[in-house]
Amino acid sequence: MNLDRKETTPVAVNTVFHTKRNGVRATGRYNRDTGRFTVLSGSEVDLGHAVIKNQGAVAARRQLFAAQTGKVILADDVELSSPSSAAVFVLGGSQNGWTEWVNEQGQTLDYVYRSKEHMNE
């Protein structure tokens, strides 16, 4: 066993990120290998705010919620093509998922996965 080994993976695979914007509480996980983001069941989705310019989020909302309105609770995990698609799916509008999703330490997804300064720590 090598006790001097340094961990090269900066983030645990099961790191959960969240958003609490506009009173919406949602959680999810980013898959670095695929670039996809999974919004976890139990997350809130604000259907009161229309999606702008993200057809993947529009299609997912339409398929899952049809004509429902207001805030709804996600019954099952939903995988979307990117962190931004996931943020738009949950919050509506036009969102930058790389800065919207944060971990328990308040670090953005962008900082955790793409920041050069963080990767060299």
Side-chain angles (χ1 to χ4, degrees), residues 16-116:
V16 174
F17 290 85
H18 66 272
T19 183
K20 297 177 184 173
R21 184 183 297 238
N22 299 334
V24 174
R25 294 185 175 271
T27 57
R29 289 193 175 99
Y30 176 66
N31 183 323
R32 185 179 203 161
D33 294 333
T34 65
R36 298 177 73 81
F37 193 94
T38 301
V39 180
L40 302 177
S41 65
S43 293
E44 294 176 329
V45 177
D46 184 359
L47 299 175
H49 287 90
V51 171
I52 299 173
K53 298 183 184 178
N54 191 307
Q55 294 308 309
V58 168
R61 279 181 166 202
R62 188 177 306 123
Q63 179 182 356
L64 292 169
F65 308 117
Q68 291 180 329
T69 59
K71 274 189 198 173
V72 295
I73 304 296
L74 199 56
D76 297 305
D77 293 355
V78 174
E79 184 178 87
L80 292 132
S81 62
S82 69
S84 292
S85 290
V88 169
F89 171 78
V90 168
L91 299 168
S94 177
Q95 309 294 330
N96 178 348
W98 288 99
T99 58
E100 185 60 46
W101 297 103
V102 296
N103 64 17
E104 288 304 314
Q105 292 75 38
Q107 299 166 325
T108 65
L109 190 66
D110 182 61
Y111 176 79
V112 172
Y113 282 100
R114 300 194 309 188
S115 170
K116 289 183 176 153

